[in-house]
Amino acid sequence: MPCSVAIVTDSTAYLPRSTVARREVRVVPLTVVLGDEALEDGTEHAVRRLAQALGQKQSVTTSRPSPAEFAEAYRRAAAEGAKSIVSLHLSSEISGTYDAAVLAAREATVPVRVVDSGMIAMALGFCVLAAAEVADAGGSVDDAVAAAVKRAEATRAVFYVDTLEHLRRGGRIGTAQALLGSALAVKPLLELADGRIEPLEKVRTASRAIARLEELAVEHAGGGPVDVAVHHLAAEERAVQLADRLRGRLSGLVDLHVSEVGAVLGAHTGPGLLGAVVAPR
């Protein structure tokens, strides 16, 4: 029997497919455009094609879902018995996805609460799961939104990239910051802050940057119950090693996810991305 409160999100939450199915979360995909080819985010094929496009220096852009795509997701949720909807999305500072959802919500046949999580990847995913847990337990829309917002406020996302060039090209980080990083040959650590991708620290080598990433994750986790996600793009060995080290150091670890990000986020970070999302419960 469907919950009276349906949960909708977008593909940049990068939730495991099994979790999406179990929680009955509806996912509206973003699109990555590789030259003249438009591909749906969240598929392995899109990630493989992204790697080829970046290697060949093809044009790579991303686009939000249309309001019509959100309207269809809301329509289906209502048709399946939802009395209201919580629609949780990546930061509006990064994408226009939230705005498209807001437009669609105005025409929905059931009430829709659209939430700007200020997050992306599993930092958004953990917010979605918090809302879904409340909805599954029979909670109200207000309860589900409050749970998601509380999770977002407690979550920290820190990540390493081999170069800032992809973020600069996509307009997700300032040109001056990107050029400074290149000129100094530093390995940047970044974080999500107020919904934006911001430089956090500059480290001289990749190994030191990854070690520092680990320390930051441990510091934020503390000793209480915590969920962690380790993300990567074309850096699976690094991700598995980081996850293994965190598993050994976090006494309160509840869930640990290791996954490759999708093509939309990957288009803006490039291969070599390694990220840690730490979400205390």
Side-chain angles (χ1 to χ4, degrees):
M1 182 176 179
C3 296
S4 64
V5 179
I7 307 298
V8 175
T9 190
D10 60 73
S11 59
T12 68
Y14 298 131
L15 288 161
R17 290 181 182 178
S18 59
T19 302
V20 168
R22 186 174 73 254
R23 292 295 186 183
E24 298 184 338
V25 174
R26 293 163 174 82
V27 179
V28 179
L30 278 75
T31 301
V32 60
V33 182
L34 311 174
D36 297 328
E37 184 182 12
L39 296 173
E40 189 175 286
D41 186 33
T43 68
E44 293 181 6
H45 174 64
V47 173
R48 289 195 300 270
R49 283 289 296 114
L50 172 68
Q52 294 171 357
L54 291 176
Q56 296 167 1
K57 300 191 182 301
Q58 290 182 340
S59 169
V60 177
T61 59
T62 59
S63 64
R64 71 179 192 180
S66 68
E69 290 174 279
F70 280 114
E72 177 61 14
Y74 301 155
R75 185 197 66 77
R76 288 184 179 179
E80 292 171 9
K83 304 302 182 185
S84 54
I85 298 168
V86 177
S87 198
L88 289 149
H89 302 291
L90 80 159
S91 172
S92 62
E93 296 283 346
I94 298 173
S95 167
T97 299
Y98 167 81
D99 296 328
V102 169
L103 288 172
R106 293 173 183 167
E107 308 299 326
T109 58
V110 297
V112 180
R113 288 279 295 278
V114 184
V115 180
D116 178 359
S117 72
M119 298 289 175
I120 194 170
M122 276 299 294
L124 166 59
F126 286 133
C127 297
V128 172
L129 293 180
E133 287 171 6
V134 169
D136 286 349
S140 68
V141 166
D142 287 344
D143 292 336
V145 170
V149 170
K150 182 178 180 181
R151 204 80 199 275
E153 290 173 346
T155 297
R156 189 177 192 191
V158 182
F159 57 102
Y160 159 84
V161 291
D162 279 333
T163 173
L164 293 172
E165 181 60 19
H166 300 288
L167 285 163
R168 183 196 66 78
R169 289 179 187 170
R172 268 61 179 186
I173 199 166
T175 300
Q177 294 168 333
L179 291 176
L180 180 62
S182 299
L184 296 177
V186 296
K187 295 298 183 181
L189 286 175
L190 304 107
E191 68 174 339
L192 279 175
D194 297 323
R196 296 184 295 273
I197 297 171
E198 299 285 0
L200 178 61
E201 296 180 9
K202 298 184 179 73
V203 185
R204 286 293 179 182
T205 66
S207 60
R208 289 181 181 178
I210 294 168
R212 181 59 179 149
L213 181 68
E214 178 183 339
E215 292 304 320
L216 290 168
V218 171
E219 288 172 15
H220 188 67
V226 63
D227 297 323
V228 174
V230 175
H231 286 305
H232 72 94
L233 182 65
E236 183 176 10
E237 185 176 351
R238 279 178 177 174
V240 170
Q241 290 173 350
L242 175 59
D244 286 344
R245 292 195 299 270
L246 290 174
R247 191 177 287 110
R249 297 185 64 179
L250 300 181
S251 58
L253 186 63
V254 180
D255 284 328
L256 176 61
H257 301 264
V258 181
S259 65
E260 189 167 39
V261 299
V264 163
L265 180 53
H268 296 295
T269 62
L273 164 74
L274 186 65
V277 175
V278 182
R281 292 201 171 198

